[in-house]
Amino acid sequence: MFDLPLWFLPILASAFGLGFYDLCKKHAVRDNPIMPVLFYATLCGSALFVAATLITGKFFSAVAATPQHWFLILAKTVLVSASWICVYYAMRELPISIASPVRASAPLWTVIGGILIFHEIPNMTQGAGMLAIFIGYYLFSVFGKLEGISFTGNKGIHFILLGTILGAASALYDKYLLGVAAIPRETLQLWFSIDLVFILGAAYLAGHLWRRQDKYVFQWRWSIPLTGILLIVADYLYFYAVSLPDVHISILSLIRRCNCIVTFVFGVWYFKEVHIRRKAFALALILLGVFFLAVAG
């Protein structure tokens, strides 16, 4: 038997939380305008986190941030807001069994950044796990062509790739904020949640004032608040794992993006998506890679 590293179970739970978050997000944005869905989902999740810090008595210690820390967190919030807007638009236009795995290619950029910036050199077992996961992601992109999705000419693909690159940059920035800048994770998540409401609220209001006509009429759905709540829980587990000593952000990002397992299984069942056997093979490679990363520590 082998001992799992301390960060593995929290980041795996975060991955499953993200999987259900993606499912709720797909349900919420289907035939719905993007900005109100994104704003209300974020508002619900942020309100939950603020309430939780108040109930547990951690609010006043978490809200105390130096001006420097606050501006660093604000920069992260702007980065993530841009990423989410791109991803939400793409999620509305693409099959979830394609969108989520493409989104999961973020660790490729995170690994490259982790090696270049933080000198995170993987060992042989970790390298084998990464390779298996990358091949799985690549196969997902190839199988997308069977559904008539061009990875060069589809706007949804362009949006999700841009959102993915911005998300990978955010993951690298998280390690800097928690490790180098030494911002407490409760402070980081609290101010991040609050800033998101104001930034996305301003974007929603600006779009509402400037738009001439919208193709969709906003519909409130149960999946909108659940989207925000699931993200808050997944992020809390993620920030905990990142804050642990001697962890590789590249490894954490790879495992966290295995949320595509959840979206694959439920996408097949609920959204009635196709080419299941081919996608299942790619998914098996991702699972194998996660196993290698777990045993490598």
Side-chain angles (χ1 to χ4, degrees):
M1 295 296 293
F2 56 88
D3 293 327
L4 290 173
L6 186 61
W7 50 261
F8 184 76
L9 291 180
I11 204 66
L12 189 63
S14 177
F16 274 87
L18 275 184
F20 288 106
Y21 158 75
D22 275 346
L23 289 168
C24 288
K25 180 168 59 179
K26 176 68 174 179
H27 182 272
V29 300
R30 188 170 53 178
D31 298 327
N32 235 352
I34 298 302
M35 289 311 302
V37 171
L38 181 53
F39 170 70
Y40 288 121
T42 302
L43 179 63
C44 292
S46 298
L48 174 68
F49 187 76
V50 171
T53 58
L54 286 169
I55 292 171
T56 58
K58 296 180 178 180
F59 177 81
F60 293 103
S61 61
V63 80
T66 66
Q68 180 186 10
H69 285 176
W70 186 84
F71 278 108
L72 289 172
I73 296 171
L74 180 63
K76 171 186 167 57
T77 309
V78 172
L79 184 64
V80 172
S81 296
S83 174
W84 285 2
I85 290 171
C86 292
V87 170
Y88 269 65
Y89 273 99
M91 189 67 74
R92 186 177 65 186
E93 305 299 327
L94 298 172
I96 195 170
S97 60
I98 294 295
S100 185
V102 172
R103 173 79 171 135
S105 66
L108 172 62
W109 309 101
T110 307
V111 166
I112 294 172
I115 293 172
L116 295 177
I117 299 173
F118 298 112
H119 308 291
E120 296 180 348
I121 307 301
N123 59 39
M124 290 187 63
T125 306
Q126 291 171 333
M130 290 179 180
L131 180 62
I133 292 174
F134 289 154
I135 293 174
Y137 293 155
Y138 172 74
L139 290 177
F140 267 115
S141 69
V142 172
F143 299 149
K145 295 180 180 179
L146 300 175
E147 300 181 33
I149 299 172
S150 169
F151 273 55
T152 57
N154 187 286
K155 289 185 178 180
I157 294 294
H158 297 164
F159 274 120
I160 206 164
L161 286 175
L162 177 58
T164 296
I165 293 172
L166 292 173
S170 175
L172 293 168
Y173 192 42
D174 288 337
K175 182 160 186 179
Y176 170 80
L177 295 176
L178 293 167
V180 180
I183 300 175
R185 59 187 177 88
E186 291 87 359
T187 300
L188 172 58
Q189 189 168 9
L190 178 62
W191 276 112
F192 172 65
S193 300
I194 295 172
D195 291 345
L196 271 175
V197 172
F198 286 98
I199 290 175
L200 293 176
Y204 173 32
L205 179 61
H208 180 73
L209 293 175
W210 293 341
R211 74 187 180 196
R212 297 179 180 177
Q213 185 177 4
D214 200 305
K215 179 181 177 181
Y216 301 99
V217 177
F218 176 66
Q219 303 174 45
W220 178 264
R221 296 170 183 163
W222 59 265
S223 52
I224 292 175
L226 191 55
T227 297
I229 292 169
L230 283 169
L231 182 63
I232 284 293
V233 173
D235 275 353
Y236 182 84
L237 294 167
Y238 164 71
F239 285 132
Y240 168 74
V242 174
S243 68
L244 295 174
D246 301 322
V247 296
H248 285 192
I249 188 65
S250 55
I251 303 298
L252 295 186
S253 296
L254 279 169
I255 297 177
R256 194 174 190 236
R257 284 302 165 191
C258 290
N259 62 307
C260 60
I261 297 169
V262 176
T263 54
F264 176 85
V265 173
F266 283 88
V268 170
W269 170 69
Y270 186 81
F271 296 107
K272 311 298 182 185
E273 301 192 357
V274 296
H275 302 299
I276 304 308
R277 291 185 180 179
R278 294 183 178 93
K279 293 175 183 177
F281 175 72
L283 191 62
L285 285 175
I286 293 174
L287 287 171
L288 179 63
V290 171
F291 174 76
F292 282 148
L293 293 178
V295 299

